[in-house]
């Protein structure tokens, strides 16, 4: 489990939370398609092939939605 830091409100904030917060701050008002997201994920994996497995798992998780939650 990743190590977290405490936010000013005393909540645990993980490293990924900071990136997600930055994404929402910078681009939260934009509308995008899933086709665009898929292309960005492909570009990311092309530039960072070491992340191919986690990106594949994330894309599969997004594609399946709530299907796996029922098991």
């Amino acid at each position: 489990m990743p190590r977290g830091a405490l936010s000013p409100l005393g909540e645990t904030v993980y490293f990924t939370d900071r990136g997600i917060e930055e994404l929402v701050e910078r681009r939260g008002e934009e509308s995008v398609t899933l086709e665009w997201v898929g292309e960005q994920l492909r570009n990311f994996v092309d530039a960072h092939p070491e992340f191919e497995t986690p990106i594949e798992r994330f894309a599969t998780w997004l594609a399946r939605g709530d299907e796996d939650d029922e098991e």
Side-chain angles (χ1 to χ4, degrees):
M1 177 172 275
R3 285 184 280 153
L6 289 180
S7 74
L9 300 175
E11 302 164 321
T12 301
V13 177
Y14 292 96
F15 179 73
T16 54
D17 291 342
R18 291 186 296 182
I20 294 167
E21 288 170 6
E22 181 178 352
L23 173 64
V24 171
E25 273 184 38
R26 290 177 177 243
R27 304 189 78 162
E29 299 296 320
E30 294 180 27
S31 295
V32 298
T33 64
L34 289 176
E35 182 177 359
W36 180 87
V37 171
E39 188 61 31
Q40 298 309 307
L41 292 173
R42 283 185 203 96
N43 292 338
F44 181 83
V45 170
D46 288 347
H48 307 282
E50 67 274 19
F51 290 104
E52 181 177 6
T53 299
I55 293 298
E56 179 66 23
R57 288 180 183 167
F58 178 62
T60 301
W61 179 81
L62 284 175
R64 293 181 181 168
D66 293 338
E67 288 177 15
D68 291 340
D69 291 343
E70 295 176 12
E71 294 179 11

